[in-house]
Protein backbone atom coordinates (compact mmCIF):
# COMPACT_ATOMS: atom_id res chain seq x y z
CA UNK A 1 0.00 0.00 0.00
CA UNK A 2 1.47 3.35 -1.02
CA UNK A 3 1.45 6.34 1.25
CA UNK A 4 -1.23 8.93 0.51
CA UNK A 5 1.45 11.60 -0.05
CA UNK A 6 3.51 9.51 -2.49
CA UNK A 7 3.78 10.64 -6.13
CA UNK A 8 1.86 7.55 -7.26
CA UNK A 9 -1.00 8.23 -4.84
CA UNK A 10 -1.15 11.88 -5.88
CA UNK A 11 -1.22 10.93 -9.57
CA UNK A 12 -3.98 8.43 -8.86
CA UNK A 13 -6.01 11.06 -6.99
CA UNK A 14 -5.53 13.49 -9.88
CA UNK A 15 -6.86 10.86 -12.28
CA UNK A 16 -9.99 10.31 -10.20
CA UNK A 17 -10.43 14.07 -9.91
CA UNK A 18 -10.31 14.31 -13.71
CA UNK A 19 -12.90 11.52 -13.99
CA UNK A 20 -15.11 13.42 -11.53
CA UNK A 21 -14.82 16.55 -13.67
CA UNK A 22 -15.92 14.64 -16.77
CA UNK A 23 -18.97 13.14 -15.07
CA UNK A 24 -20.13 15.90 -12.69
CA UNK A 25 -18.24 19.03 -13.70
CA UNK A 26 -15.21 20.89 -12.37
CA UNK A 27 -14.93 20.49 -8.58
CA UNK A 28 -15.91 23.53 -6.53
CA UNK A 29 -14.69 24.27 -3.01
CA UNK A 30 -17.42 22.08 -1.51
CA UNK A 31 -16.32 19.13 -3.70
CA UNK A 32 -12.69 19.57 -2.67
CA UNK A 33 -13.67 19.47 1.00
CA UNK A 34 -15.91 16.45 0.38
CA UNK A 35 -12.97 14.65 -1.23
CA UNK A 36 -10.87 15.35 1.85
CA UNK A 37 -13.62 13.97 4.10
CA UNK A 38 -13.90 10.87 1.92
CA UNK A 39 -10.16 10.23 1.90
CA UNK A 40 -9.58 11.15 -1.74
CA UNK A 41 -11.33 11.53 -5.07
CA UNK A 42 -11.42 7.77 -5.68
CA UNK A 43 -13.48 7.24 -2.54
CA UNK A 44 -15.64 10.28 -3.25
CA UNK A 45 -16.27 9.07 -6.81
CA UNK A 46 -17.42 5.70 -5.51
CA UNK A 47 -19.66 7.29 -2.90
CA UNK A 48 -21.24 9.56 -5.52
CA UNK A 49 -21.86 6.66 -7.90
CA UNK A 50 -23.64 4.70 -5.16
CA UNK A 51 -25.73 7.74 -4.21
CA UNK A 52 -26.73 8.37 -7.82
CA UNK A 53 -27.85 4.77 -8.27
CA UNK A 54 -29.80 4.73 -5.02
CA UNK A 55 -31.54 8.06 -5.57
CA UNK A 56 -32.30 7.84 -9.33
CA UNK A 57 -34.16 9.52 -10.98
CA UNK A 58 -33.47 12.19 -8.36
CA UNK A 59 -30.13 13.92 -7.96
CA UNK A 60 -28.89 14.04 -4.36
CA UNK A 61 -25.54 14.79 -2.70
CA UNK A 62 -23.46 11.91 -1.42
CA UNK A 63 -22.87 11.81 2.37
CA UNK A 64 -19.50 13.55 2.10
CA UNK A 65 -20.93 16.41 0.02
CA UNK A 66 -23.77 16.89 2.48
CA UNK A 67 -21.40 16.88 5.44
CA UNK A 68 -19.06 19.37 3.75
CA UNK A 69 -22.01 21.66 3.04
CA UNK A 70 -23.34 21.61 6.61
CA UNK A 71 -19.79 22.01 7.92
CA UNK A 72 -19.75 25.52 6.42
CA UNK A 73 -22.48 26.51 8.88
CA UNK A 74 -20.21 25.76 11.83
CA UNK A 75 -17.43 28.15 10.76
CA UNK A 76 -16.81 31.18 12.98
CA UNK A 77 -14.59 34.26 12.77
CA UNK A 78 -14.20 34.99 16.49
CA UNK A 79 -13.37 31.62 18.01
CA UNK A 80 -15.29 28.63 19.29
CA UNK A 81 -17.42 30.60 21.75
CA UNK A 82 -18.96 32.78 19.02
CA UNK A 83 -22.68 32.24 18.58
CA UNK A 84 -24.00 30.73 15.34
CA UNK A 85 -27.59 31.53 14.33
CA UNK A 86 -29.26 29.70 11.47
CA UNK A 87 -32.67 30.48 9.96
CA UNK A 88 -34.07 27.75 7.70
CA UNK A 89 -36.47 29.12 5.08
CA UNK A 90 -38.64 26.21 3.92
CA UNK A 91 -40.61 26.53 0.68
CA UNK A 92 -44.22 25.48 1.28
CA UNK A 93 -45.56 26.73 -2.06
CA UNK A 94 -47.83 24.86 -4.43
CA UNK A 95 -44.96 23.79 -6.72
CA UNK A 96 -43.46 21.69 -3.90
CA UNK A 97 -45.02 18.27 -3.30
CA UNK A 98 -45.16 16.26 -0.07
CA UNK A 99 -42.03 14.21 -0.83
CA UNK A 100 -39.98 17.30 -1.57
CA UNK A 101 -41.31 19.05 1.52
CA UNK A 102 -40.21 16.08 3.64
CA UNK A 103 -36.74 16.23 2.06
CA UNK A 104 -36.40 19.85 3.18
CA UNK A 105 -37.49 19.05 6.73
CA UNK A 106 -35.11 16.10 6.84
CA UNK A 107 -32.26 18.43 5.96
CA UNK A 108 -33.31 20.85 8.71
CA UNK A 109 -33.01 18.03 11.26
CA UNK A 110 -29.72 16.71 9.84
CA UNK A 111 -28.12 20.16 9.78
CA UNK A 112 -29.38 20.99 13.29
CA UNK A 113 -27.94 17.71 14.60
CA UNK A 114 -24.50 18.49 13.19
CA UNK A 115 -24.68 22.08 14.43
CA UNK A 116 -25.52 20.96 17.96
CA UNK A 117 -22.61 18.51 17.90
CA UNK A 118 -20.03 21.04 16.67
CA UNK A 119 -21.08 24.49 17.89
CA UNK A 120 -21.07 25.44 21.57
CA UNK A 121 -23.63 28.25 21.22
CA UNK A 122 -26.03 27.56 18.35
CA UNK A 123 -29.55 28.80 17.71
CA UNK A 124 -31.89 27.78 14.90
CA UNK A 125 -35.25 28.90 13.57
CA UNK A 126 -37.61 27.36 11.00
CA UNK A 127 -39.72 29.64 8.80
CA UNK A 128 -42.13 28.31 6.17
CA UNK A 129 -43.00 30.58 3.26
CA UNK A 130 -45.30 30.75 0.26
CA UNK A 131 -47.16 34.00 -0.51
CA UNK A 132 -46.58 34.91 3.14
CA UNK A 133 -44.47 33.51 5.98
CA UNK A 134 -45.13 31.43 9.06
CA UNK A 135 -42.60 31.11 11.88
CA UNK A 136 -42.73 27.43 12.76
CA UNK A 137 -39.93 27.63 15.33
CA UNK A 138 -38.53 30.92 16.70
CA UNK A 139 -34.79 31.48 16.95
CA UNK A 140 -33.70 29.52 20.03
CA UNK A 141 -30.98 27.11 21.21
CA UNK A 142 -31.07 23.79 19.35
CA UNK A 143 -33.50 21.32 20.93
CA UNK A 144 -33.65 18.32 18.62
CA UNK A 145 -36.65 16.72 20.31
CA UNK A 146 -38.68 19.93 20.08
CA UNK A 147 -37.51 20.50 16.51
CA UNK A 148 -38.63 17.01 15.51
CA UNK A 149 -42.11 17.71 16.88
CA UNK A 150 -42.24 21.00 14.98
CA UNK A 151 -41.25 19.44 11.65
CA UNK A 152 -43.63 16.51 12.10
CA UNK A 153 -46.49 18.93 12.68
CA UNK A 154 -45.74 21.25 9.74
CA UNK A 155 -48.39 21.49 7.01
CA UNK A 156 -47.59 22.98 3.62
CA UNK A 157 -49.04 26.45 3.12
CA UNK A 158 -49.38 26.14 -0.71
CA UNK A 159 -49.66 29.30 -2.78
CA UNK A 160 -46.88 31.25 -4.50
CA UNK A 161 -43.14 31.55 -3.81
CA UNK A 162 -42.34 34.88 -2.14
CA UNK A 163 -38.66 34.51 -1.29
CA UNK A 164 -38.28 38.24 -0.54
CA UNK A 165 -40.73 38.19 2.36
CA UNK A 166 -39.04 35.06 3.72
CA UNK A 167 -35.60 36.73 3.70
CA UNK A 168 -37.13 39.79 5.34
CA UNK A 169 -38.55 37.65 8.15
CA UNK A 170 -35.17 35.96 8.63
CA UNK A 171 -33.59 39.40 9.04
CA UNK A 172 -36.17 40.40 11.64
CA UNK A 173 -35.57 37.23 13.67
CA UNK A 174 -31.80 37.59 13.53
CA UNK A 175 -31.89 41.28 14.44
CA UNK A 176 -34.14 40.67 17.42
CA UNK A 177 -32.74 37.44 18.86
CA UNK A 178 -29.15 36.87 17.69
CA UNK A 179 -26.13 38.04 19.67
CA UNK A 180 -24.51 41.21 18.33
CA UNK A 181 -21.43 39.40 16.98
CA UNK A 182 -23.15 36.13 16.00
CA UNK A 183 -22.57 34.37 12.71
CA UNK A 184 -25.84 34.70 10.79
CA UNK A 185 -26.76 32.05 8.21
CA UNK A 186 -29.93 32.13 6.12
CA UNK A 187 -30.67 28.75 4.50
CA UNK A 188 -33.03 28.86 1.53
CA UNK A 189 -34.68 25.49 0.78
CA UNK A 190 -36.73 25.83 -2.41
CA UNK A 191 -37.19 24.86 -6.04
CA UNK A 192 -36.36 28.46 -6.95
CA UNK A 193 -39.21 28.60 -9.46
CA UNK A 194 -39.65 32.37 -9.45
CA UNK A 195 -39.49 34.85 -12.29
CA UNK A 196 -36.56 37.24 -12.68
CA UNK A 197 -38.37 40.15 -11.06
CA UNK A 198 -39.23 38.07 -7.96
CA UNK A 199 -35.63 36.90 -7.78
CA UNK A 200 -34.47 40.53 -8.01
CA UNK A 201 -36.77 41.51 -5.13
CA UNK A 202 -35.39 38.64 -3.04
CA UNK A 203 -31.83 39.68 -3.87
CA UNK A 204 -32.55 43.27 -2.86
CA UNK A 205 -33.87 42.05 0.47
CA UNK A 206 -30.81 39.84 0.94
CA UNK A 207 -28.51 42.78 0.17
CA UNK A 208 -30.29 44.90 2.76
CA UNK A 209 -29.96 42.16 5.36
CA UNK A 210 -26.21 41.91 4.78
CA UNK A 211 -25.89 45.71 4.89
CA UNK A 212 -27.70 46.02 8.22
CA UNK A 213 -26.23 43.06 10.10
CA UNK A 214 -22.78 41.56 10.53
CA UNK A 215 -21.40 38.14 9.51
CA UNK A 216 -24.29 37.33 7.17
CA UNK A 217 -24.17 34.41 4.70
CA UNK A 218 -26.89 33.07 2.43
CA UNK A 219 -27.04 29.46 1.25
CA UNK A 220 -29.43 27.82 -1.22
CA UNK A 221 -30.47 24.17 -1.44
CA UNK A 222 -32.37 23.10 -4.53
CA UNK A 223 -35.31 20.79 -3.86
CA UNK A 224 -37.95 19.69 -6.35
CA UNK A 225 -38.65 19.30 -10.06
CA UNK A 226 -37.28 21.83 -12.50
CA UNK A 227 -35.14 23.65 -9.92
CA UNK A 228 -34.03 27.02 -11.25
CA UNK A 229 -30.39 27.01 -10.19
CA UNK A 230 -29.58 30.27 -12.01
CA UNK A 231 -32.21 32.27 -10.12
CA UNK A 232 -31.14 30.73 -6.80
CA UNK A 233 -27.53 31.72 -7.46
CA UNK A 234 -28.69 35.26 -8.23
CA UNK A 235 -30.62 35.47 -4.95
CA UNK A 236 -27.62 34.39 -2.86
CA UNK A 237 -25.14 36.70 -4.58
CA UNK A 238 -24.78 35.80 -8.25
CA UNK A 239 -25.35 37.82 -11.39
CA UNK A 240 -28.92 38.44 -12.62
CA UNK A 241 -30.31 36.05 -15.22
CA UNK A 242 -31.60 38.98 -17.29
CA UNK A 243 -31.44 42.82 -17.21
CA UNK A 244 -33.00 44.12 -14.02
CA UNK A 245 -36.31 45.98 -14.38
CA UNK A 246 -36.35 49.72 -13.62
CA UNK A 247 -37.77 50.66 -10.25
CA UNK A 248 -38.82 53.86 -8.54
CA UNK A 249 -39.42 52.18 -5.19
CA UNK A 250 -37.97 54.11 -2.23
CA UNK A 251 -36.61 50.84 -0.90
CA UNK A 252 -34.50 50.16 -3.99
CA UNK A 253 -30.71 50.12 -3.53
CA UNK A 254 -28.85 53.33 -4.38
CA UNK A 255 -27.15 53.32 -7.80
CA UNK A 256 -23.44 52.70 -7.93
CA UNK A 257 -22.76 56.38 -8.70
CA UNK A 258 -24.57 57.58 -5.59
CA UNK A 259 -22.33 58.64 -2.70
CA UNK A 260 -22.02 56.01 -0.01
CA UNK A 261 -20.18 55.99 3.27
CA UNK A 262 -17.49 53.38 3.63
CA UNK A 263 -17.00 51.29 6.69
CA UNK A 264 -14.11 49.17 7.84
CA UNK A 265 -14.79 45.50 8.52
CA UNK A 266 -15.83 44.73 12.04
CA UNK A 267 -13.23 43.55 14.51
CA UNK A 268 -12.54 39.86 14.04
CA UNK A 269 -14.04 39.76 10.54
CA UNK A 270 -12.16 38.12 7.71
CA UNK A 271 -10.55 40.67 5.42
CA UNK A 272 -9.49 40.20 1.84
CA UNK A 273 -11.90 37.29 1.43
CA UNK A 274 -13.19 38.37 -1.95
CA UNK A 275 -16.50 39.57 -0.55
CA UNK A 276 -18.48 41.86 -2.81
CA UNK A 277 -20.10 45.10 -1.83
CA UNK A 278 -23.75 45.32 -0.90
CA UNK A 279 -26.16 48.07 -1.82
CA UNK A 280 -26.39 51.05 0.48
CA UNK A 281 -29.00 50.86 3.22
CA UNK A 282 -32.50 51.77 2.08
CA UNK A 283 -35.51 53.20 3.85
CA UNK A 284 -37.01 49.71 4.15
CA UNK A 285 -35.18 47.92 6.94
CA UNK A 286 -34.89 44.14 6.97
CA UNK A 287 -33.90 43.75 10.58
CA UNK A 288 -34.16 47.25 11.99
CA UNK A 289 -31.41 49.44 13.41
CA UNK A 290 -28.57 51.20 11.64
CA UNK A 291 -26.92 49.45 8.71
CA UNK A 292 -23.73 47.56 9.55
CA UNK A 293 -21.62 46.13 6.75
CA UNK A 294 -20.96 42.40 6.63
CA UNK A 295 -17.51 41.06 7.53
CA UNK A 296 -16.28 40.65 3.94
CA UNK A 297 -16.75 43.82 1.90
CA UNK A 298 -15.18 45.81 -0.90
CA UNK A 299 -15.74 49.33 -2.11
CA UNK A 300 -19.43 50.28 -1.91
CA UNK A 301 -19.22 51.56 -5.48
CA UNK A 302 -18.36 48.08 -6.76
CA UNK A 303 -20.99 45.77 -8.26
CA UNK A 304 -22.65 43.32 -5.88
CA UNK A 305 -21.16 40.44 -7.84
CA UNK A 306 -18.91 40.09 -10.86
CA UNK A 307 -18.08 37.12 -13.05
CA UNK A 308 -14.49 36.06 -13.49
CA UNK A 309 -12.81 34.60 -16.58
CA UNK A 310 -14.11 31.14 -15.64
CA UNK A 311 -17.69 32.41 -15.41
CA UNK A 312 -17.82 32.04 -11.63
CA UNK A 313 -18.98 34.97 -9.53
CA UNK A 314 -16.88 36.65 -6.85
CA UNK A 315 -18.10 36.12 -3.30
CA UNK A 316 -21.18 38.12 -2.35
CA UNK A 317 -23.62 37.74 0.55
CA UNK A 318 -21.04 35.59 2.32
CA UNK A 319 -19.20 36.41 5.54
CA UNK A 320 -16.30 34.38 4.13
CA UNK A 321 -16.29 35.81 0.62
CA UNK A 322 -17.36 32.49 -0.91
CA UNK A 323 -18.76 32.45 -4.43
CA UNK A 324 -22.48 31.66 -4.76
CA UNK A 325 -21.63 28.39 -6.54
CA UNK A 326 -19.88 27.26 -3.35
CA UNK A 327 -23.01 28.01 -1.30
CA UNK A 328 -25.45 26.09 -3.47
CA UNK A 329 -26.23 22.38 -3.34
CA UNK A 330 -28.76 20.28 -5.26
CA UNK A 331 -30.36 18.57 -2.28
CA UNK A 332 -33.08 16.60 -4.04
CA UNK A 333 -33.80 17.61 -7.64
CA UNK A 334 -35.15 16.44 -10.98
CA UNK A 335 -34.82 18.41 -14.18
CA UNK A 336 -38.31 17.70 -15.44
CA UNK A 337 -41.07 20.33 -15.23
CA UNK A 338 -43.17 20.17 -12.04
CA UNK A 339 -46.51 19.94 -13.86
Amino acid sequence: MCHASSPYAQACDSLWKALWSVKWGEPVALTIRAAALAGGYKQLFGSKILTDKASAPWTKPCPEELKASIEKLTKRVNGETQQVCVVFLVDGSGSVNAEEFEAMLGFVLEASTQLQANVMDCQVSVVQFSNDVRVEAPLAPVNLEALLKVTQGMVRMNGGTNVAVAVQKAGQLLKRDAAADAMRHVILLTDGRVDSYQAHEARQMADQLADEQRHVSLFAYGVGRGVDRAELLHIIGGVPTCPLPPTSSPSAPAPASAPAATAAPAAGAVSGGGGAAHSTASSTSVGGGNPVLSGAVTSPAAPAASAGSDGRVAGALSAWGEAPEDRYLALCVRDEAPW
Side-chain angles (χ1 to χ4, degrees), residues 18-326:
L19 292 173
W20 175 285
S21 300
V22 171
K23 188 167 181 61
W24 294 292
E26 191 66 24
V28 297
L30 186 146
T31 315
I32 296 170
R33 177 55 184 160
L37 292 171
Y41 275 96
K42 179 179 180 179
Q43 294 86 342
L44 183 65
F45 191 98
S47 178
K48 185 67 171 176
I49 288 289
L50 291 176
T51 300
D52 282 356
K53 288 182 178 179
S55 60
W58 294 88
T59 297
K60 296 182 179 181
C62 65
E64 293 82 5
E65 289 177 301
L66 188 60
K67 184 176 182 180
S69 178
I70 298 175
E71 188 179 69
K72 291 175 179 286
L73 308 181
T74 68
K75 293 172 63 177
R76 284 145 286 180
V77 297
N78 292 334
E80 293 185 356
T81 60
Q82 185 179 16
Q83 186 180 79
V84 174
C85 293
V86 180
V87 180
F88 296 98
L89 302 179
V90 179
D91 187 349
S93 66
S95 61
V96 174
N97 66 28
E99 181 182 2
E100 296 154 7
F101 193 65
E102 288 300 318
M104 298 182 200
L105 300 183
F107 174 80
V108 170
L109 292 172
E110 174 66 23
S112 298
T113 300
Q114 288 198 36
L115 284 163
Q116 185 186 58
N118 293 284
V119 179
M120 183 184 305
D121 183 3
C122 180
Q123 300 199 17
V124 301
S125 172
V126 181
V127 176
Q128 184 182 172
F129 69 95
S130 59
N131 293 323
D132 202 353
V133 294
R134 184 163 67 205
V135 178
E136 305 283 0
L139 195 64
V142 178
N143 182 328
L144 294 177
E145 183 178 351
L147 200 57
L148 178 60
K149 290 182 179 178
V150 167
T151 56
Q152 288 177 337
M154 285 177 62
V155 177
R156 283 184 299 136
M157 299 170 70
N158 288 312
T161 309
N162 193 336
V163 180
V165 73
V167 174
Q168 183 181 44
K169 175 56 69 174
Q172 292 169 353
L173 293 171
L174 291 168
K175 179 66 178 180
R176 186 187 68 189
D177 299 325
D181 69 338
M183 301 298 297
R184 293 165 164 82
H185 302 314
V186 177
I187 314 301
L188 181 59
L189 295 147
T190 179
D191 56 14
R193 294 185 65 83
V194 296
D195 60 39
S196 296
Y197 183 75
Q198 290 173 313
H200 176 52
E201 284 187 318
R203 171 59 181 274
Q204 282 186 309
M205 199 61 68
D207 283 336
Q208 289 178 34
L209 169 58
D211 277 346
E212 295 171 6
Q213 301 186 42
R214 300 168 61 190
H215 308 318
V216 171
S217 296
L218 271 77
F219 298 82
Y221 290 83
V223 181
R225 294 167 171 81
V227 169
D228 196 331
R229 179 178 182 271
E231 293 295 4
L232 286 177
L233 290 178
H234 174 209
I235 291 170
I236 66 171
V239 296
T241 57
C242 67
L244 301 180
T247 176
S248 59
S249 169
S251 63
S257 59
T262 59
V270 177
S271 60
H278 305 299
S279 60
T280 56
S282 69
S283 60
T284 300
S285 173
V286 176
N290 296 324
V292 181
L293 294 180
S294 163
V297 296
T298 57
S299 167
S306 58
S309 58
D310 61 354
R312 285 167 57 80
V313 177
L317 298 179
S318 167
W320 299 95
E322 292 180 313
E325 293 85 353
D326 294 324

Side-chain angles (χ1 to χ4, degrees), residues 3-25:
H3 194 273
S5 61
S6 70
Y8 175 79
Q10 293 175 0
C12 182
D13 198 56
S14 295
L15 174 61
W16 284 103
K17 180 180 179 181
L19 292 173
W20 175 285
S21 300
V22 171
K23 188 167 181 61
W24 294 292

